[in-house]
Amino acid sequence: MAAGSSSGSTTPPEAVRTFQIKTVSDMLAKLEWEIEQLQVTQFSQSVKSVDISSYFAINAALTAFHVCEWIWHIGTQQQRDAWLQAAPAASKAQGKTRFQVGLKYQCPEFGVCRAIANSFKHLADDQFTDTNVLTDVPVFELSVPATAGSMRAGDPLAQFAKVLMVRSKGGITPAAHVLSRTYGFLEDFCEKSGFLTGSQVSP
């Protein structure tokens, strides 16, 4: 039985306005690519490297948050009921919002992505704002010496990077690390839910 077609649930909507992004697997591939681009850009010598890194970091956070939207829409009612149990008992959230709270509880890094995505969309704080998450943290600058044997004539002796950082309850962490942890969690969640094997169901 296809995901989303169990008794009491409706057929998931078809992805007809998302170009070639048709499945949750496609969404995960998009997220992985954005994280890779962020990591590469942070080593760029462009004067706009920090700006471009910010674009990729925000896009990746948005994608990560939207992956959970797709998951919710392709899940069966039975799956949704089980997912809702992951939220803390004290949470008063209902439905899809409670599902998001449960994901945040299981993966704090997802909660950071959710906070970034929410702030980027709305700017102003609302009831979903996590004030522990801040991105106005100075970039971390470092140099990585070239590896002996891999250098060619004209190559620099070291690569310099400007790494975006995020502050949360867990401390100050590289944004790429937060996003990578979120990607791993979401990929594992989708795998265990049966969304990455066989035919894919689009939201």
Side-chain angles (χ1 to χ4, degrees), residues 80-177:
R80 291 180 183 179
D81 291 342
W83 296 338
L84 294 177
Q85 301 305 311
S91 174
K92 296 181 180 179
Q94 301 292 322
K96 183 172 62 176
T97 301
R98 186 175 181 83
F99 169 56
Q100 295 168 3
V101 171
L103 293 182
K104 176 182 176 181
Y105 183 73
Q106 297 172 75
C107 178
E109 291 83 3
F110 170 79
V112 174
C113 292
R114 182 190 186 212
I116 293 171
N118 190 60
S119 292
F120 184 72
K121 179 179 179 180
H122 300 291
L123 180 60
D125 291 352
D126 59 19
Q127 69 268 32
F128 301 117
T129 300
D130 184 347
T131 57
N132 293 298
V133 177
L134 294 172
T135 59
D136 59 345
V137 181
V139 297
F140 180 71
E141 299 188 38
L142 75 157
S143 62
V144 180
T147 304
S150 65
M151 292 181 62
R152 293 181 294 183
D155 285 349
L157 296 177
Q159 283 189 305
F160 296 91
K162 294 182 178 180
V163 180
L164 295 185
M165 308 297 287
V166 179
R167 184 192 302 275
S168 66
K169 279 187 176 181
I172 299 177
T173 312
H177 176 74

Side-chain angles (χ1 to χ4, degrees), residues 8-56:
S9 65
T10 59
T11 301
E14 185 179 356
V16 295
R17 299 177 186 86
T18 53
F19 299 102
Q20 293 304 108
I21 309 300
K22 300 295 186 182
T23 68
V24 71
S25 181
D26 294 336
M27 287 287 282
L28 287 170
K30 177 178 182 290
L31 174 57
E32 184 178 32
W33 180 84
E34 288 165 344
I35 295 170
E36 290 173 350
Q37 297 308 305
L38 167 61
Q39 293 170 328
V40 169
T41 302
Q42 291 180 139
F43 281 91
S44 169
Q45 299 307 301
S46 167
V47 294
K48 298 194 68 175
S49 64
V50 175
D51 291 342
I52 298 172
S53 293
S54 296
Y55 303 157
F56 282 121

